Amino acid sequence: MNKKTNPKNAPDSRRLLPMLLAVVVVILLGVLVYITTSNKDDEAIVFDNLPNYTDVKGTIVVDGLKYEKQPHLGSKDAKVKVIEFADFKCPACKKWTATYLDTFIKDYVDSGKVQFYFMNFAFIDRDSYLGASAGEAIYKQSNEKFWEYLHKLYENQGDESKIWITQKFILDFVKNNIDGLDYAQFEQDVQNHTYMYDVKEDFKIAGSYGVNGTPKFMVNGVLLPNSSYETLAAAIEAELVK
């Protein structure tokens, strides 16, 4: 005789399924909370290590362009002085450098007609300030290495809308790409934001001359209306015939 199952002792699937679903929901909520909290902690670490203009100590006095403090190329006896105002996060700055800088150097700098200067206008986000201050730290060690840093950082430029020039990124980037530096000194300067005053000073000076974006160019103290190579070349030629 077949033994019949007592329905009173059988598992109630109608009760078991909701219980299992509840357990799954609790687990998923726990995972979501962990991921969200972890991401916020990671973001907090990133932002804690980024400089801020409001943290810069000291009074900045705008009293001229201070050519002597800027990375430069070309002869100091050149008749024309050109300043580029740029932000390492700026895609248009990257494009201008990749498209025109070598031609500009060949046509005007190497010929002795122009002395070319780079000046920070770090405005896009807080990691703009870090990229700029890292560049200042390199420039203080070597003007030549600064230009190597400029080219390579543009080549490795991240998304303009995201924070990508973190302390970890810039320290690893320079360690792996820029030889011939006192790396321990560079690391200390980046971590201590040693040259943030210089970056903020550049920003204040540029703004006082009407700079409001990047790239912008100034020829013998006159800010150009746009960043086209044709406008820059015409302004230089006009100065050369004076």
Side-chain angles (χ1 to χ4, degrees):
M1 180 184 292
N2 293 331
K3 186 177 181 180
K4 294 183 179 179
T5 302
N6 188 342
K8 292 183 179 181
N9 296 328
D12 190 340
S13 60
R14 289 174 299 176
R15 294 178 57 192
L16 184 60
L17 183 58
M19 290 175 63
L20 288 173
L21 288 174
V23 171
V24 171
V25 169
V26 170
I27 293 173
L28 289 175
L29 285 173
V31 171
L32 181 61
V33 169
Y34 172 79
I35 292 173
T36 302
T37 304
S38 177
N39 287 341
K40 287 182 178 178
D41 289 343
D42 290 343
E43 289 177 3
I45 291 171
V46 168
F47 280 97
D48 283 345
N49 289 332
L50 290 176
N52 194 319
Y53 280 153
T54 59
D55 298 330
V56 176
K57 307 302 179 184
T59 302
I60 293 175
V61 178
V62 177
D63 57 354
L65 292 165
K66 299 185 179 180
Y67 290 101
E68 72 281 0
K69 295 186 68 174
Q70 313 307 328
H72 52 274
L73 294 170
S75 171
K76 64 179 181 180
D77 298 322
K79 187 174 182 179
V80 181
K81 295 183 183 298
V82 174
I83 300 176
E84 178 191 5
F85 300 93
D87 185 320
F88 288 115
K89 287 194 68 170
C90 167
C93 297
K94 172 184 177 178
K95 183 177 180 180
W96 195 94
T97 297
T99 306
Y100 299 116
L101 185 57
D102 287 345
T103 299
F104 176 77
I105 290 172
K106 179 182 176 182
D107 290 348
Y108 293 107
V109 178
D110 290 345
S111 63
K113 297 175 182 178
V114 166
Q115 188 170 30
F116 183 59
Y117 299 84
F118 177 94
M119 195 165 179
N120 293 297
F121 190 70
F123 77 104
I124 293 175
D125 211 329
R126 287 178 61 185
D127 56 333
S128 298
Y129 318 154
L130 183 58
S133 60
E136 290 286 343
I138 291 174
Y139 167 59
K140 293 302 187 290
Q141 291 196 39
S142 169
N143 180 64
E144 180 183 353
K145 292 297 177 181
F146 169 83
W147 294 99
E148 185 178 340
Y149 170 80
L150 176 144
H151 280 285
K152 290 183 177 179
L153 189 59
Y154 278 142
E155 289 170 4
N156 289 272
Q157 189 182 75
D159 188 331
E160 180 186 10
S161 66
K162 298 178 180 178
I163 297 292
W164 59 274
I165 309 178
T166 62
Q167 273 199 17
K168 183 180 187 308
F169 170 85
I170 209 68
L171 290 174
D172 289 345
F173 171 79
V174 169
K175 187 174 186 178
N176 295 327
N177 291 278
I178 312 294
D179 297 325
L181 290 175
D182 180 340
Y183 183 78
Q185 181 63 55
F186 171 76
E187 182 177 34
Q188 179 179 319
D189 289 337
V190 169
Q191 291 173 344
N192 295 337
H193 307 314
T194 303
Y195 296 106
M196 270 303 299
Y197 179 92
D198 301 76
V199 174
K200 186 174 182 179
E201 183 180 52
D202 281 357
F203 179 81
K204 291 286 189 180
I205 291 172
S208 74
Y209 281 89
V211 176
N212 58 5
T214 54
K216 293 287 187 180
F217 295 90
M218 182 177 280
V219 175
N220 280 354
V222 177
L223 188 66
L224 302 186
N226 60 64
S227 59
S228 76
Y229 192 82
E230 293 74 18
T231 299
L232 176 59
I236 292 170
E237 295 296 343
E239 290 296 309
L240 289 172
V241 298
K242 285 185 179 179

